[in-house]
Amino acid sequence: MPDRVRWGSTAPHTKRSQTARYLSGMVNCTRNGKCDFVIEHTPPSAAPKVIGEISLWDGHEIGFMLNPAFWGKGIMKEAMHRFLLEIWRNEDMHALQDIVADVDPRNSACIGLLKRFGFNETGYREKTLKTHLGWCDSLDFELKRPTYSEK
């Protein structure tokens, strides 16, 4: 199974129509551009290529994924930094007081990234989601809105 989808809530897409439906929902979201972002890579002398995404679901639950060819290069770290700055600065998101994450406890890379950005572990739940992997537990995280103003 491709690593980039191992921790997803659905099995890897097998048809373009599945991916098209997913992307259409993201693009047509009323908050698109406010809390849904794609991560692009532009190789020398080539067109930009989408290599990942980072977004908020249900108003305040963060989700992200990155093509494994780009893991370990600091790209998701940079994307998370820029994403959080944008979310906290965005006037349309002023009511947002926290961001939460629900992570499979086996996903150590995701857990490490969240902790690096100040997310605090708030709980552990068993058998929260049945996926293509079987039953998965959840490690819950929360990041409170910063009390300082970043300019």
Side-chain angles (χ1 to χ4, degrees):
M1 174 179 315
D3 284 338
R4 68 183 161 272
V5 294
R6 175 178 297 150
W7 308 115
S9 58
T10 63
H13 295 170
T14 57
K15 299 177 184 172
R16 284 184 180 254
S17 61
Q18 292 171 296
T19 303
R21 226 178 2 261
Y22 173 81
L23 291 174
S24 177
M26 186 174 146
V27 169
N28 293 320
C29 176
T30 58
R31 293 187 308 237
N32 185 29
K34 296 178 184 157
C35 60
D36 291 319
F37 299 92
V38 295
I39 302 166
E40 290 184 336
H41 172 68
T42 306
S45 305
K49 177 181 177 183
V50 174
I51 61 169
E53 69 146 330
I54 186 167
S55 58
L56 290 181
W57 302 92
D58 294 330
H60 75 136
E61 183 175 353
I62 195 167
F64 47 90
M65 65 176 143
L66 184 67
N67 182 319
F70 297 91
W71 289 0
K73 299 178 187 307
I75 293 171
M76 188 54 77
K77 178 182 163 190
E78 180 181 347
M80 179 71 80
H81 173 75
R82 290 174 184 242
F83 179 80
L84 291 173
L85 284 176
E86 179 62 27
I87 290 299
W88 297 137
R89 290 177 179 171
N90 189 317
E91 291 193 20
D92 291 331
M93 303 298 288
H94 73 277
L96 183 66
Q97 294 303 307
D98 63 359
I99 296 174
V100 299
D102 172 352
V103 182
D104 187 312
R106 298 169 290 184
N107 190 345
S108 59
C110 180
I111 292 166
L113 182 70
L114 292 171
K115 286 183 175 181
R116 172 179 228 137
F117 281 92
F119 282 78
N120 294 306
E121 188 176 326
T122 59
Y124 184 92
R125 297 173 291 135
E126 294 182 358
K127 293 185 178 179
T128 55
L129 184 64
K130 190 169 187 179
T131 72
H132 53 287
L133 298 173
W135 279 105
C136 297
D137 295 343
S138 290
L139 198 53
D140 297 319
F141 288 88
E142 179 181 57
L143 177 67
K144 296 285 188 191
R145 174 182 280 280
T147 55
Y148 58 91
S149 176
E150 296 214 32
K151 303 278 181 194

